[in-house]
Amino acid sequence: MISIQNLNKIYKTKSGVVNGVDNVSLEVKKGEIFGIVGYSGAGKSSLLRCINLLERPTSGRITVDGLDLTKLRRENLRQARLKIGMIFQHFYLISQKTVFENIAFALKAANMPQAKRKKRVEELLKMVGLADKRDVYPSQLSGGQKQRVAIARALANNPTVLLCDEATSALDPTTTKSILNLLKKINQELNITIVLITHEMNVVKEICHRMAIMQDGRVIEEGSVYEIFAKPQTDLTKEFISSVVSFDIPEAIYKECEGPIVKVTFRGTVAGEGVISDTLQQFQVKGNFLHGSIEYIQDLPLGIFIMELRGQKEEIHKAISYIKNREAEVEVIQHGL
């Protein structure tokens, strides 16, 4: 659906040359929600804006729905862009126009006949839950309502791709959840491919199928959201995940533990099985739970538990081997005294 190949975007600044996007290659599948995560300056906004050529790449290729956008001339590129909707953090609504007029403006710009505009706008307002706000002005709307208008405007021309540039960063947690639910609904009902950038792992965890982590213009990790949460490979990814799934334990607790402390990770259906209780029943080992939780990512459980194991060394080794054989990952994070 979206193919990004060896993409580079170089900016010339007073202080020198900056590589905003550094040799990035990604594939986004049709109908999926793909998240791009990174801190400010990581290059994620530059990458997103290259996808619809709001930023023209210095080199590389962007193919959307089989069209290489980097090779299209002005008119053909304009037509291709009609199939790529975009929403922003700060909404960018026209304050002098009503909700209805803001959405209709996108249709007018695409030369849709006036007779068809009214029906299309009303369809969109119903879709985003703002049918009763058609005649009000942006200043009369909440942040979440403004973003819903922006989403309706982005969907006006029946795009196949929706790009979201920090679409929930300016919203409170409750409103963020409602907007994410709307995006999920749009993805499922209209089969629109969504690419969103964010610095919030909760957003990715909530709705994305796959994701990429960016740092200094490069993609440093990529994969399914579930696998990245279950087994992050880089320190930055682990840092992002810790903002959502934290297992910080006070140092004083560690000092009180005499046996080895292990971190046990269960993936998929195994997370719902009684592996730990089975282990403690079968071996002469006592377990002291220090932390744990089961997260649900894309409706799949991911269980992570931290516990102290007490008993004879041989029994502890047997218990750890048993847990591993039950398709769990065991990491010893502190050896016993």
Side-chain angles (χ1 to χ4, degrees), residues 250-267:
E251 189 64 30
I253 300 297
Y254 281 116
K255 290 179 180 179
E256 292 175 2
C257 295
E258 297 177 1
I261 298 174
V262 296
K263 178 182 177 183
V264 184
T265 302
F266 299 102
R267 298 187 183 89

Side-chain angles (χ1 to χ4, degrees), residues 57-69:
T58 305
S59 63
R61 296 179 62 192
I62 300 279
T63 304
V64 178
D65 237 358
L67 286 175
D68 185 346
L69 301 189

Side-chain angles (χ1 to χ4, degrees), residues 48-235:
L48 192 79
R49 292 168 68 86
C50 282
I51 292 176
N52 61 0
L53 263 64
L54 285 179
E55 296 271 7
R56 185 165 283 275
T58 305
S59 63
R61 296 179 62 192
I62 300 279
T63 304
V64 178
D65 237 358
L67 286 175
D68 185 346
L69 301 189
T70 58
K71 293 183 178 180
L72 296 181
R73 297 193 177 188
R74 181 176 296 180
E75 180 56 29
N76 289 335
L77 178 58
R78 192 185 76 83
Q79 290 298 319
R81 279 181 176 149
L82 291 177
K83 293 300 179 182
I84 306 174
M86 190 163 185
I87 57 176
F88 304 89
Q89 178 181 353
H90 298 298
F91 324 126
Y92 297 119
L93 302 180
I94 304 170
S95 59
Q96 297 85 4
K97 292 183 180 293
T98 65
V99 166
F100 182 96
E101 291 167 340
N102 265 277
I103 300 169
F105 184 79
L107 297 169
K108 183 178 180 181
N111 298 317
M112 178 179 282
Q114 187 173 358
K116 294 183 178 181
R117 285 181 218 159
K118 182 174 182 292
K119 181 181 178 182
R120 179 59 179 157
V121 173
E122 288 175 347
E123 288 174 353
L124 291 163
L125 285 171
K126 184 176 180 182
M127 181 185 300
V128 300
L130 291 178
D132 60 334
K133 302 292 183 183
R134 71 187 303 278
D135 297 319
V136 307
Y137 290 87
S139 62
Q140 299 170 275
L141 300 175
S142 67
Q145 290 170 335
K146 289 176 183 177
Q147 194 58 285
R148 286 173 181 268
V149 176
I151 291 171
R153 181 183 58 190
L155 297 176
N157 292 299
N158 292 303
T160 56
V161 174
L162 181 62
L163 306 179
C164 305
D165 189 355
E166 298 278 11
T168 60
S169 294
L171 306 175
D172 63 73
T174 300
T175 307
T176 291
K177 190 170 182 64
S178 72
I179 293 298
L180 294 179
N181 285 337
L182 175 59
L183 290 174
K184 191 186 296 186
K185 175 186 173 185
I186 289 166
N187 168 257
Q188 292 171 347
E189 294 183 0
L190 303 181
N191 198 34
I192 290 178
T193 304
I194 298 177
V195 180
L196 64 85
I197 65 169
T198 183
H199 60 273
E200 300 172 291
M201 285 296 280
N202 261 326
V203 169
V204 174
K205 175 177 172 285
E206 187 73 27
I207 67 168
C208 292
H209 303 110
R210 292 193 304 124
M211 64 182 291
I213 307 285
M214 288 192 71
Q215 184 178 33
D216 299 327
R218 297 182 178 181
V219 171
I220 62 170
E221 195 162 349
E222 177 193 358
S224 75
V225 173
Y226 188 91
E227 284 302 318
I228 284 180
F229 266 81
K231 200 169 184 178
Q233 300 298 308
T234 67
D235 289 340

